[in-house]
């Protein structure tokens, strides 16, 4: 695995013009328009990158985009690898390991999720303050590479408290409604049954989605700072019978996009 990571990092170093970014951003469902706010963009399709899995789901195109956002050099990941697509955990988290090898020290992640918190409304943006890992497998299971991180990484403050504080400050300045909450990560691809949404709320979750947790675990293993936001695209609970569809999820995510884009741009700029 180390050989593959280094080979991919070496390839990107040889391709990328300009300074190597210290910030990476994983663009989740329907949040791709952040790219429109980037400057000096250099697209590198996943298909051209050695060892990179290829993205398959509708609405997710596969490119690494090097450029600047708010005057800061960033790598944006357009299209991520979901466990439900059949990728294994090593593949899902491979790009994060490559980012680390390139010198990235801060990871931004966005995703779409179903809200269980009764205060939440569709279209709300939630800063992820913590997560509950309900994937059947931990991406760090197996041989530990000490070069990448410690065998038993701590997961307290996995989501950087200073970046959360900064986001709150920015939201207040901009008058944005910004929720806080615990993200429950599950495999999908089924949305939850009403009883499952209820169960996830009772165990301490505010929103549930099918991504992010594996990447965050690997980023924390590599001692990266992490900041995550989740767009609440539907609501679930024992009395809620609305059926979320992939299209509705995309639409709600697109609607919340300006908020997420302006928030993330400003946090990136000031972090
Ligand atoms: N559940 C799981 N993942 C999701 C949801 C949901 O309700 N909405 C968007 N992603």
């Amino acid at each position: 695995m180390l050989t593959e990571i280094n080979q991919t990092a070496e390839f990107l170093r040889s391709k990328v013009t300009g300074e190597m970014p210290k910030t990476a951003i994983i663009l989740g469902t329907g949040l791709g328009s952040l790219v429109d706010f980037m400057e000096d963009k250099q697209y590198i399709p996943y298909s051209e990158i050695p060892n990179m899995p290829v993205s398959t789901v509708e609405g997710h195109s596969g490119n690494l985009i090097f450029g600047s956002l708010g005057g800061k050099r960033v790598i944006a990941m357009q299209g991520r690898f979901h466990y439900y697509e059949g990728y294994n955990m090593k593949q899902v988290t491979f790009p994060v390991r490559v980012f680390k090898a390139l010198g990235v020290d801060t990871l931004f992640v966005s995703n779409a999720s179903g809200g269980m918190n009764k205060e939440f409304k569709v279209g709300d943006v939630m800063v992820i303050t913590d997560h509950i890992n309900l994937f059947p497998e931990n991406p760090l299971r197996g041989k530990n590479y000490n070069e990448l991180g410690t065998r038993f990484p701590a997961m307290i403050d996995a989501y950087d408290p200073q970046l959360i504080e900064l986001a709150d400050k920015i939201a207040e300045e901009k008058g944005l409604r910004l929720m806080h909450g615990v993200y429950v990560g599950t495999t999908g691809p089924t949305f939850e049954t009403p009883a499952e949404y209820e169960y996830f709320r009772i165990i301490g979750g505010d929103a549930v989605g099918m991504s992010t947790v594996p990447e965050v675990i690997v980023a924390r293993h590599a001692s990266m700072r992490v900041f995550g936001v989740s767009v609440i695209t539907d609501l679930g609970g024992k009395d809620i019978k609305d059926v979320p569809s992939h299209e509705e999820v995309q639409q709600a995510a697109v609607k919340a996009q300006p908020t997420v884009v302006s928030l993330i741009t400003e946090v990136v700029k000031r972090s």
Side-chain angles (χ1 to χ4, degrees):
M1 184 167 68
L2 293 180
T3 313
E4 283 187 10
I5 295 168
N6 291 331
Q7 192 180 39
T8 306
E10 208 41 61
F11 169 84
L12 291 170
R13 261 191 230 107
S14 74
K15 278 265 174 191
V16 173
T17 49
E19 201 186 318
M20 208 33 94
K22 291 205 179 317
T23 300
I25 310 169
I26 302 177
L27 306 169
T29 308
L31 305 174
S33 81
L34 191 81
V35 170
D36 301 339
F37 296 84
M38 286 174 64
E39 288 166 351
D40 306 321
K41 283 174 276 192
Q42 186 182 2
Y43 283 73
I44 309 183
Y46 294 165
S47 56
E48 290 177 12
I49 304 173
N51 309 319
M52 196 77 164
V54 175
S55 183
T56 59
V57 179
E58 190 190 332
H60 301 259
S61 44
N63 293 291
L64 283 188
I65 308 165
F66 289 78
S68 60
L69 183 71
K72 202 161 192 172
R73 290 281 293 164
V74 299
I75 312 173
M77 194 176 154
Q78 193 178 44
R80 61 144 64 94
F81 306 105
H82 297 90
Y83 191 71
Y84 65 75
E85 292 176 86
Y87 298 111
N88 64 41
M89 283 296 185
K90 295 277 177 290
Q91 292 173 307
V92 169
T93 59
F94 182 73
V96 178
R97 293 198 154 120
V98 172
F99 296 156
K100 178 68 184 184
L102 291 173
V104 167
D105 60 16
T106 308
L107 180 71
F108 289 79
V109 283
S110 67
N111 62 45
S113 63
M116 291 88 70
N117 184 317
K118 293 181 199 270
E119 308 279 303
F120 289 1
K121 296 190 282 219
V122 168
D124 271 347
V125 178
M126 178 187 96
V127 169
I128 305 175
T129 55
D130 202 350
H131 73 220
I132 297 175
N133 178 17
L134 292 185
F135 283 88
E137 191 189 341
N138 190 298
L140 303 181
R141 190 174 81 87
K143 177 175 161 55
N144 186 62
Y145 295 90
N146 291 323
E147 298 90 326
L148 302 180
T150 176
R151 171 75 288 187
F152 300 108
M155 291 298 290
I156 293 173
D157 290 344
Y159 298 83
D160 192 82
Q162 284 175 342
L163 294 179
I164 294 172
E165 203 178 308
L166 178 59
D168 283 338
K169 198 164 152 227
I170 292 164
E172 202 178 315
E173 285 169 18
K174 291 181 181 279
L176 304 173
R177 176 177 153 97
L178 191 60
M179 313 310 281
H180 276 203
V182 174
Y183 177 87
V184 178
T186 61
T187 61
T190 45
F191 290 112
E192 285 61 38
T193 64
E196 285 167 341
Y197 284 115
E198 199 65 13
Y199 161 60
F200 292 155
R201 186 182 63 79
I202 290 166
I203 64 170
D206 296 291
V208 54
M210 309 173 193
S211 68
T212 303
V213 167
E215 294 103 313
V216 169
I217 290 174
V218 165
R220 291 302 300 150
H221 183 236
S223 303
M224 292 160 84
R225 290 190 301 171
V226 172
F227 179 78
V229 286
S230 190
V231 176
I232 309 300
T233 56
D234 52 275
L235 299 172
K238 70 176 176 344
D239 303 319
I240 302 174
K241 295 286 181 209
D242 295 339
V243 181
S245 71
H246 183 56
E247 291 68 32
E248 273 169 338
V249 165
Q250 296 270 359
Q251 273 172 21
V254 165
K255 244 171 120 176
Q257 210 156 222
T259 304
V260 179
V261 166
S262 80
L263 181 73
I264 290 206
T265 303
E266 201 59 27
V267 179
V268 164
K269 203 162 146 183
R270 295 204 221 163
S271 63

